[in-house]
Amino acid sequence: MSERDRPWVMRTYAGHSSPAESNALYRRNLDKGQTGLSVAFDLPTQTGYDADDELARGEVGKVGVPIQHLGDLTALFDGIPLTRMNTSMTINAPAMWLLALYQEVALAQNSSPEGVLEALTGTTQNDIVKEYLSRGTYIFPPGPSLRLTTDTIAYTVSAMPRWNPVNICSYHLQEAGATPVQEVAFALSTAIAVLDAVRDSGQVPPERFGDVVQRISFFVNAGVRFVEEMCKMRAFVSLWDTLTLERYGIEDARRRRFRYGVQVNSLGLTEAQPENNVQRIVLEMLAVTLSKGARARAVQLPAWNEALGLPRPWDQQWSLRLQQVLAHESDLLEYDDLFDGSPVVSAKVAEIVEGARLEMARVAEMGGAIAAVESGYLKSSLVSSHAARRARIEAGDDVVVGVNRFTSTEPSPLTADLETAVQAVDPAVESAAVRAVREWRAARDPEAVAAALHHLREDASGSANLMTASLECARAGVTTGEWSSTLRAVFGEYRAPTGVSSAVSPSGTGTLLTQVRERVLKTGSEIGAHLRLLIGKPGLDGHSNGAEQVAVRARDAGFEVIYQGIRLTPAQIVDAAVAEDVHAIGLSVLSGSHLEVVPEVLRGLAEAGAGDIPVIVGGIIPEADRQKLISEGVSEVFTPKDIDLTAMMNHFVTHIRKAHHLPT
């Protein structure tokens, strides 16, 4: 296949509904030839809960297609021949489980099992390290989680030779604040941890270890500083080639090839003047396509209005057309690498390579990526880096057009009717999913389920490869929640370091921060207690970057901050607020479940006799929803357009003073 004809997949939101509805959208796109032979989908089973679990309330169908058992995945791929597809699964903690379901669906689609597994092509992201650092959708402690990754790799190398069992994902690291050096270093340190674990497990013969290296792929981020980002990718290619040759002895250059897909940066997309996001996306796409020697094999582009909510199909199509114009109308793909021999590019690449080597050596001295996760070093590094970035934007040192400079604007027809500019998920999706999973459980053979779960528990307690037991569970009709709960009972659950307490804040204070600190001290003196602020992340939403930055700035402003991390029920947030006797609560909700979980927190506070505690909400929240939250008792709502965190802290103090009947 020529480079021009290679399917560059669009980022798809087809999963934001039921499996059957998602299937209809995929088939429609396939009929139009929009995605060629590629399908990509997000899965909200990242932390292994069924739709009727308490933590999933309000989020079902909003962060991906809900897959709870074999029947759901069968419905999702009905009429889509998996042996002819290239399927990319954005799935990590339960990647083994989704791969087991996928295999069973593929076998059921074919009358004979012969050659089916050998024909399956695709990727399970399966990068658990970045989940502890950025995305937050992990389940188990790092050790058992790495075992699941290792077992999946060992299984696919022997049974599914065309499958990419792990996709080292630096994308979310940049979203969490990583510099180019950190993104390269932390991603490659993760790859070392995975490869070492596979090698040391003894499940893959040494003579086949090249197959393991060859099937590892990467998923990276591309920011708007496209020259620096392009140099970053050339550095990635160089370091990976050296690493696989020198550390693992892979002589075949083809097996050392740095294979990566990219999703361009969503962190830089703005709610203010969102039409500017189109040119940002184009520049970011150029970063991973200009240099032929470091060119992406697949490109996913977000939509221009992603900072506002879920893009509509038309918005998604716009992103796809950007790729197609570049691939089919421009002459970019007709030439060799444009940057070979450039002294400017060579110097920048060398700088990133040297910085990444130093950072990788630091991680290695700690015992590797897993140890650096457990110590909190990697997370605190990202939180600190992100805090520095935000400080530069607030100070105007980093210009963001339409946000901190050039803010005057003409009325935009694109956002004239915001209520139709983004998709909304039908609330009936969740109730239907809850009903369906309960009906599924009632209709299956309970003895087969019990036997399969017993097998899984026994294997997890020993050292057997867990793919065999997972496949048995899939065939028996075990649900995602049951699979993960069984492993939780053996492995335990884990709460990763938040990085907030050890994060280093940027130097300098600023006049406003000094004033806010004085107000915090004054208000605390008048109330008779040090002001305490609870930052809460309700539900399964693992995107914690914003909450962490609010927590860091609140700490710098003089608040005592209580931040317990992600995945809390509204009841747990209420209990913490009462137990800690907090003066305000900040809730971060980015999954679209704000109309469900926030009122539940408000009701819980009222029932606990703490209804006077101000509740401030942040998230991607449309104006109509903001008004609803305010009417229900929320003190204030912040969205991505509110970039000044110090000013936000000032608002927190004001609401606390109002709650205590003090002059504001």
Side-chain angles (χ1 to χ4, degrees):
M1 179 183 294
S2 71
E3 190 170 26
R4 191 180 299 279
D5 293 332
R6 180 187 298 146
W8 291 7
V9 297
M10 71 172 174
R11 182 177 182 183
T12 175
Y13 289 86
H16 294 252
S17 53
S18 71
E21 291 168 334
S22 299
N23 172 265
L25 180 53
Y26 279 127
R27 292 179 70 171
R28 187 162 69 249
N29 286 341
L30 289 172
D31 290 342
K32 294 178 181 177
Q34 287 197 335
T35 54
L37 293 176
S38 293
V39 162
F41 61 96
D42 291 336
L43 299 162
T45 51
Q46 296 272 20
T47 44
Y49 290 91
D50 291 332
D52 57 348
D53 283 300
E54 185 178 6
L55 269 172
R57 189 177 307 156
E59 298 192 6
V60 177
K62 292 179 180 174
V63 290
V65 54
I67 301 298
Q68 301 168 100
H69 47 70
L70 185 60
D72 283 340
L73 205 66
T74 300
L76 179 67
F77 288 119
D78 179 38
I80 298 176
L82 297 187
T83 54
R84 292 165 49 201
M85 303 302 299
N86 187 323
T87 304
S88 176
M89 303 188 199
T90 306
I91 189 70
N92 292 284
M96 173 183 285
W97 174 241
L98 266 294
L99 183 59
L101 295 177
Y102 187 86
Q103 173 179 316
E104 292 306 306
V105 172
L107 289 170
Q109 285 183 349
N110 293 271
S111 57
S112 169
E114 178 134 7
V116 170
L117 299 189
E118 291 80 2
L120 293 180
T121 304
T123 301
T124 38
Q125 194 167 92
N126 202 16
D127 175 7
I128 198 61
V129 172
K130 65 95 172 150
E131 295 299 324
Y132 300 118
L133 302 181
S134 51
R135 181 62 182 87
T137 48
Y138 54 84
I139 304 175
F140 316 114
S145 294
L146 189 58
R147 174 186 171 184
L148 290 174
T149 299
T150 300
D151 285 357
T152 302
I153 293 171
Y155 174 80
T156 55
V157 165
S158 62
M160 302 169 67
R162 298 178 64 190
W163 194 266
N164 299 311
V166 62
N167 184 228
I168 305 298
C169 182
S170 72
Y171 171 83
H172 293 90
L173 302 183
Q174 187 178 129
E175 296 283 298
T179 64
V181 164
Q182 289 174 326
E183 185 179 345
V184 172
F186 294 174
L188 292 180
S189 294
T190 297
I192 290 171
V194 170
L195 286 172
D196 283 1
V198 174
R199 179 194 61 197
D200 298 344
S201 74
Q203 296 189 67
V204 178
E207 64 272 15
R208 296 208 61 190
F209 199 73
D211 295 338
V212 176
V213 173
Q214 185 178 22
R215 301 262 39 105
I216 285 189
S217 60
F218 289 77
F219 186 59
V220 307
N221 205 328
V224 75
R225 292 173 58 83
F226 74 98
V227 175
E228 183 176 59
E229 293 293 308
M230 182 270 294
C231 291
K232 177 190 74 180
M233 296 318 307
R234 289 173 70 98
F236 249 135
V237 169
S238 173
L239 283 166
W240 179 247
D241 185 72
T242 301
L243 172 68
T244 52
L245 176 63
E246 295 182 355
R247 188 181 184 95
Y248 301 109
I250 307 302
E251 299 289 344
D252 187 344
R254 293 172 300 177
R255 291 185 167 186
R256 300 198 308 269
R257 184 179 299 150
F258 186 80
R259 300 179 307 116
Y260 80 98
V262 65
Q263 179 177 309
V264 307
N265 190 291
S266 295
L267 176 66
L269 302 185
T270 63
E271 178 184 5
Q273 299 182 20
E275 62 275 9
N276 295 336
N277 294 331
V278 176
Q279 51 263 36
R280 291 187 179 108
I281 291 168
V282 171
L283 287 172
E284 291 165 350
M285 177 172 55
L286 289 176
V288 293
T289 55
L290 281 175
S291 177
K292 184 175 182 180
R295 184 168 291 157
R297 297 182 65 81
V299 179
Q300 298 181 40
L301 303 183
W304 68 277
N305 55 352
E306 194 166 304
L308 305 175
L310 294 181
R312 302 156 298 183
W314 183 87
D315 307 309
Q316 299 169 40
Q317 176 180 285
W318 193 356
S319 291
L320 178 64
R321 296 295 182 250
L322 294 179
Q323 299 180 55
Q324 292 169 331
V325 169
L326 180 69
H328 297 283
E329 292 190 33
S330 83
D331 60 351
L332 176 65
L333 304 183
E334 297 172 10
Y335 297 95
D336 290 333
D337 202 299
L338 306 177
F339 300 100
D340 287 347
S342 165
V344 174
V345 170
S346 295
K348 187 62 179 178
V349 171
E351 175 190 323
I352 295 174
V353 166
E354 179 61 22
R357 281 179 173 155
L358 290 173
E359 188 62 62
M360 290 168 67
R362 189 175 295 116
V363 171
E365 288 173 3
M366 297 177 182
I370 297 300
V373 166
E374 294 171 333
S375 71
Y377 169 74
L378 294 182
K379 181 63 175 177
S380 65
S381 297
L382 294 176
V383 174
S384 298
S385 181
H386 198 176
R389 176 185 177 275
R390 288 204 61 91
R392 292 194 302 271
I393 292 174
E394 291 179 23
D397 297 331
D398 285 1
V399 175
V400 182
V401 174
V403 174
N404 63 1
R405 196 181 296 182
F406 313 114
T407 55
S408 61
T409 183
E410 294 296 323
S412 170
L414 291 173
T415 57
D417 185 2
L418 285 177
E419 297 308 306
T420 63
V422 295
Q423 288 192 82
V425 176
D426 187 345
V429 167
E430 180 168 321
S431 58
V434 171
R435 183 171 60 254
V437 73
R438 291 174 178 171
E439 291 173 351
W440 174 270
R441 293 194 197 109
R444 64 193 180 179
D445 180 352
E447 293 184 1
V449 170
L453 291 174
H454 175 76
H455 183 189
L456 178 65
R457 186 163 46 250
E458 290 296 305
D459 281 4
S461 301
S463 59
N465 188 303
L466 292 172
M467 194 67 185
T468 300
S470 295
L471 287 166
E472 181 183 341
C473 286
R475 290 189 290 269
V478 167
T479 68
T480 297
E482 291 167 335
W483 179 86
S484 62
S485 293
T486 299
L487 294 181
R488 277 185 176 92
V490 179
F491 297 152
E493 286 198 60
Y494 184 71
R495 297 196 74 82
T498 66
V500 169
S501 61
S502 55
V504 178
S505 301
S507 59
T509 55
T511 303
L512 181 57
L513 185 57
T514 299
Q515 294 172 350
V516 174
R517 285 172 178 161
E518 292 172 352
R519 289 192 78 201
V520 169
L521 286 172
K522 182 175 185 292
T523 304
S525 177
E526 291 173 341
I527 292 174
H530 192 166
L531 294 192
R532 290 179 295 279
L533 172 62
L534 172 68
I535 304 297
K537 285 287 297 177
L540 292 176
D541 170 24
H543 288 291
S544 60
N545 301 330
E548 290 154 5
Q549 292 306 308
V550 170
V552 169
R553 188 60 56 86
R555 180 199 66 187
D556 294 345
F559 284 96
E560 179 184 335
V561 179
I562 296 95
Y563 176 57
Q564 300 171 318
I566 59 174
R567 290 205 302 277
L568 298 171
T569 65
Q572 288 172 323
I573 291 173
V574 170
D575 289 345
V578 173
E580 299 286 350
D581 193 20
V582 301
H583 299 97
I585 300 172
L587 297 179
S588 171
V589 186
L590 294 172
S591 63
S593 62
H594 45 269
L595 291 182
E596 289 82 13
V597 297
V598 173
E600 197 168 339
V601 171
L602 295 173
R603 286 192 294 271
L605 290 171
E607 292 169 0
D612 58 341
I613 299 177
V615 175
I616 294 92
V617 179
I620 300 176
I621 300 173
E623 177 60 23
D625 290 357
R626 188 188 76 84
Q627 294 293 343
K628 291 178 184 176
L629 293 175
I630 296 294
S631 69
E632 294 206 22
V634 167
S635 297
E636 195 161 356
V637 174
F638 294 106
T639 65
K641 72 178 185 301
D642 301 300
I643 65 165
D644 192 333
L645 294 181
T646 302
M648 192 180 297
M649 293 304 105
N650 209 22
H651 284 254
F652 272 89
V653 179
T654 296
H655 289 299
I656 291 172
R657 294 185 67 83
K658 286 180 180 179
H660 287 82
H661 309 291
L662 297 173
T664 59

